[in-house]
Amino acid sequence: MDGLQREDKGSLSRQRVRSDNVQEQCIWSSPGGGCEIPMGKQIFCNRSLNMKNIVAVGFDMDYTLAQYMPETFESLAYDGTVRKLVYDLGYPPELLEWSFDWKYMVRGLVVDKKRGNILKMDRHKYVKVAYHGFTEMSKGERMATYGNTLIRDSFDEPDYALIDTLFSLAEAYLFSQLVNFKDKNPGKVPNDTDYARMYRDVRAAVDLCHRDGTLKQMVAKDPGKYINEDLSIVPMFKMLRDSGRATFLVTNSLWDYTNMVMNFLCGKRTLDGSSPCNFDWLENFDVVITGSSKPSFFHEDNRANLFEVDPEFGMLLNTDNGTPLPQIGSTTTRLPLNGLKKPCRVFQGGNVAHLHKLLSIEASSQVLYVGDHIYGDILRSKKVLGWRTMLVVPELEREVELLCTWKAIRKGLRLLRKERDLIEDQIHHLRWSIKFDSVDADKRHILASELNDLLSLRENVRLRHQEMQREFHQKFHMVWGQLMKTGYQNSRFAHQVERFACLYTSQVTNLGLYSPDKYYRPSEDFMPHEFDILEV
């Protein structure tokens, strides 16, 4: 019988079906492990990575270990942001009636703050899809705005903002709503408020929501409402640690929130008193660093002080680069954690040099860091440090499934594209013959008739190709299409994934489906001249 079908009720590592019909994949080290992995759960490799060379595996928490539900968590953030705009920043009360469509925005988009536009571009930074608020811009409008400049725009800060995290989707949607509202009701927004000011106000309102603790308090009351449960997290940690790797957590969240979230993920404990939080989850790590202020954490010249956190009381204790300092009037340097089998030290702040010292890391290439944020987690750790990186892209699982489902349409698009090329070559040849070849009037008339037939055929094929392209585009997303593609080119987001992530996958626990000693190897690169020859 196939390993995925055998029952092993005594192991937490086995695949099981929960009451909500969500399946947990069995990890590699379980009796039924080592099975064929579904495409949506696979880890994809951009650069060779031999896990035997990795001595420490690190994790981000928010949207990496903790996968938030956009329909609840992002809606909560959206509602809080709207209230801040109205009650703190003077926006009209009509905004309180707005709602959030959590499916509308996708990662990889770019906000044009000055013009009030949302853009999707390819890897060469050509704008292929653009909306002003919720109104699509025509090809002519796109070209006039972004395609006719003498100097190519970099589409970076300060005039543009990248929607590169799932946290950014609600604020991008709210910005589009405000653009529409301003265009239709110019007198109702605060005086002298242009599109760029509205975006700054949205960002300020988002920051206020996070600073006042409202979001975290709501999540703490009912984490199961906002965070997806994944029973594979603890078995994955155990497998990595049993294989001899150190494990660490580096998060920008502070200790109180980190402890609550990790209690839920590792033991389904909450702060409501029904199942009180404890510190058992720390057994899964060697070092935990909270309040890390990534991406500045990844710079060794960052002079942030490193404080040790007393987990029981949340107090910060002074350290000398991680070495505990005695407190005045006390002979002890830190409070012990009762019941913790293996000591895990918890810190706040510091920088990557502190982390390397605490874990006895000799070379940056010995570290694999898993995160969800290209700029906050992956780019800096890769470019500045040389850490090996794995990017978590939750949207990837659905993207892969749709690619498999609609691959016939994609094949049809390639065939139509080739047909268009062939017809256009014939048209060019006929036009050349009519213009330059010495042919009599009858022959010229025949050639002209053939040319008209080809022009009609080309238009027919063009329309079929255009309609099929639109259909394929909308299979993935009605507005923005494929996450990783813009037409025939990789999207800007895909280009960033390819450049900065050694590995990428849909869920952090997919790491547990592979041997901890696996050698990840990338697929072969192909040049355009190789595709037809090798039938790629």
Side-chain angles (χ1 to χ4, degrees):
M1 183 178 290
D2 186 273
L4 282 175
Q5 295 175 318
R6 291 198 305 263
E7 274 198 334
D8 182 9
K9 296 181 180 178
S11 173
L12 284 174
S13 305
R14 296 299 308 129
Q15 178 181 2
R16 65 186 65 164
V17 180
R18 302 202 316 269
S19 59
D20 57 0
N21 293 323
V22 177
Q23 287 189 342
E24 177 204 0
Q25 296 290 325
C26 63
I27 67 166
W28 179 86
S29 60
S30 67
C35 307
E36 182 179 353
I37 301 171
M39 183 69 74
K41 301 287 187 184
Q42 290 181 16
I43 294 175
F44 302 97
C45 180
N46 288 318
R47 278 170 292 283
S48 296
L49 192 159
N50 189 347
M51 285 295 292
K52 288 185 177 181
N53 298 328
I54 300 298
V55 301
V57 181
F59 301 89
D60 177 39
M61 184 179 76
D62 297 311
Y63 273 118
T64 300
L65 292 173
Q67 283 298 326
Y68 294 96
M69 303 176 192
E71 62 271 33
T72 54
F73 182 80
E74 293 304 327
S75 294
L76 182 67
Y78 170 91
D79 292 339
T81 303
V82 169
R83 287 195 296 272
K84 298 295 183 186
L85 285 173
V86 173
Y87 297 124
D88 295 0
L89 299 176
Y91 280 77
E94 289 100 311
L95 273 63
L96 297 172
E97 300 173 5
W98 292 359
S99 59
F100 173 48
D101 181 358
W102 61 272
K103 294 182 179 180
Y104 184 87
M105 291 295 179
V106 299
R107 274 204 290 184
L109 304 178
V110 176
V111 177
D112 183 341
K113 302 176 189 178
K114 288 185 175 181
R115 299 183 181 95
N117 298 336
I118 308 291
L119 317 174
K120 185 180 181 186
M121 57 190 68
D122 66 17
R123 65 190 180 98
H124 302 294
K125 296 187 179 180
Y126 287 105
V127 177
K128 295 298 183 71
V129 184
Y131 278 74
H132 178 74
F134 295 111
T135 303
E136 185 174 11
M137 297 172 66
S138 67
K139 183 177 180 180
E141 290 173 325
R142 292 201 317 268
M143 291 299 297
T145 307
Y146 302 107
N148 291 329
T149 56
L150 291 175
I151 301 174
R152 286 291 309 284
D153 200 324
S154 64
F155 296 101
D156 291 324
E157 294 283 359
D159 294 332
Y160 298 89
L162 304 180
I163 306 175
D164 51 12
T165 73
L166 294 172
F167 280 121
S168 305
L169 302 186
E171 65 190 60
Y173 186 81
L174 180 54
F175 177 66
S176 289
Q177 286 180 302
L178 286 171
V179 168
N180 268 22
F181 184 77
K182 174 180 169 59
D183 290 348
K184 296 176 181 178
N185 308 277
K188 289 192 174 183
V189 296
N191 293 334
D192 302 322
T193 301
D194 56 11
Y195 298 130
R197 170 66 184 274
M198 287 195 305
Y199 184 80
R200 289 197 300 272
D201 287 345
V202 170
R203 282 294 320 141
V206 170
D207 290 340
L208 284 172
C209 282
H210 285 282
R211 283 208 304 270
D212 70 9
T214 303
L215 291 179
K216 293 178 180 179
Q217 290 169 7
M218 293 297 291
V219 175
K221 288 179 180 178
D222 188 6
K225 180 179 178 181
Y226 301 102
I227 305 174
N228 285 313
E229 179 188 350
D230 190 339
L231 300 179
S232 299
I233 286 180
V234 172
M236 177 192 70
F237 288 146
K238 184 177 187 307
M239 183 180 74
L240 288 172
R241 293 174 67 78
D242 287 347
S243 72
R245 271 80 181 181
T247 53
F248 64 91
L249 178 69
V250 176
T251 175
N252 286 350
S253 293
L254 297 177
W255 166 248
D256 57 343
Y257 187 72
T258 300
N259 186 42
M260 180 275 296
V261 171
M262 294 306 298
N263 259 279
F264 173 75
L265 291 174
C266 296
K268 295 205 298 186
R269 296 184 177 86
T270 67
L271 296 181
D272 63 4
S274 60
S275 184
C277 293
N278 61 31
F279 310 115
D280 290 350
W281 66 270
L282 290 172
E283 296 176 358
N284 298 300
F285 298 98
D286 294 274
V287 172
V288 169
I289 296 183
T290 62
S292 62
S293 298
K294 292 178 295 181
S296 62
F297 176 85
F298 296 120
H299 291 272
E300 290 193 16
D301 57 357
N302 170 22
R303 300 301 180 187
N305 291 323
L306 182 71
F307 298 97
E308 187 153 12
V309 178
D310 171 11
E312 187 173 357
F313 300 101
M315 294 187 301
L316 300 183
L317 310 175
N318 291 319
T319 76
D320 180 10
N321 294 325
T323 301
L325 291 177
Q327 308 299 301
I328 293 176
S330 173
T331 58
T332 60
T333 56
R334 65 193 296 268
L335 296 172
L337 276 180
N338 295 327
L340 201 59
K341 297 176 183 177
K342 185 180 187 304
C344 168
R345 300 181 66 188
V346 182
F347 297 92
Q348 179 175 308
N351 63 32
V352 71
H354 295 131
L355 179 64
H356 281 191
K357 180 181 177 182
L358 290 166
L359 293 173
S360 301
I361 301 296
E362 297 178 356
S364 294
S365 60
Q366 295 176 319
V367 178
L368 171 65
Y369 188 65
V370 186
D372 72 291
H373 188 184
I374 283 183
Y375 286 91
D377 294 324
I378 302 302
L379 186 151
R380 295 295 182 186
S381 60
K382 180 66 179 174
K383 289 185 68 175
V384 176
L385 298 177
W387 278 6
R388 310 311 303 273
T389 54
M390 186 169 90
L391 182 70
V392 175
V393 186
E395 311 96 310
L396 185 65
E397 185 167 357
R398 178 177 178 272
E399 184 107 342
V400 166
E401 291 172 353
L402 288 173
L403 279 173
C404 293
T405 301
W406 304 112
K407 60 184 178 182
I409 296 180
R410 193 171 184 177
K411 182 178 180 181
L413 282 169
R414 287 199 301 268
L415 294 175
L416 282 174
R417 202 177 189 206
K418 286 185 177 181
E419 187 177 353
R420 287 181 70 180
D421 287 342
L422 178 61
I423 294 170
E424 285 177 355
D425 285 342
Q426 292 173 325
I427 288 172
H428 295 157
H429 191 270
L430 274 177
R431 281 177 170 164
W432 186 276
S433 299
I434 292 171
K435 186 173 183 179
F436 294 108
D437 292 353
S438 298
V439 293
D440 56 34
D442 290 341
K443 180 65 173 176
R444 189 179 298 275
H445 178 75
I446 293 172
L447 292 177
S449 178
E450 291 179 6
L451 178 60
N452 286 332
D453 289 342
L454 284 172
L455 289 172
S456 178
L457 180 60
R458 181 182 67 175
E459 179 64 10
N460 180 269
V461 173
R462 185 189 72 81
L463 292 173
R464 282 195 291 142
H465 184 253
Q466 186 180 66
E467 181 59 31
M468 189 177 288
Q469 263 191 319
R470 185 182 297 107
E471 179 188 354
F472 190 66
H473 177 91
Q474 293 178 344
K475 295 290 186 187
F476 293 86
H477 193 283
M478 288 296 294
V479 177
W480 307 108
Q482 272 185 266
L483 178 70
M484 297 290 190
K485 281 283 187 292
T486 308
Y488 286 97
Q489 296 289 316
N490 283 347
S491 65
R492 187 180 186 183
F493 180 74
H495 183 55
Q496 293 165 340
V497 172
E498 187 177 35
R499 286 181 65 194
F500 302 120
C502 301
L503 310 174
Y504 64 99
T505 191
S506 62
Q507 295 178 28
V508 65
T509 48
N510 294 344
L511 191 62
L513 305 180
Y514 293 81
S515 165
D517 292 326
K518 182 175 176 58
Y519 197 137
Y520 294 93
R521 296 180 175 88
S523 58
E524 182 181 354
D525 288 340
F526 291 99
M527 291 289 288
H529 70 274
E530 297 178 290
F531 276 85
D532 288 336
I533 298 171
L534 301 176
E535 296 183 353
V536 178

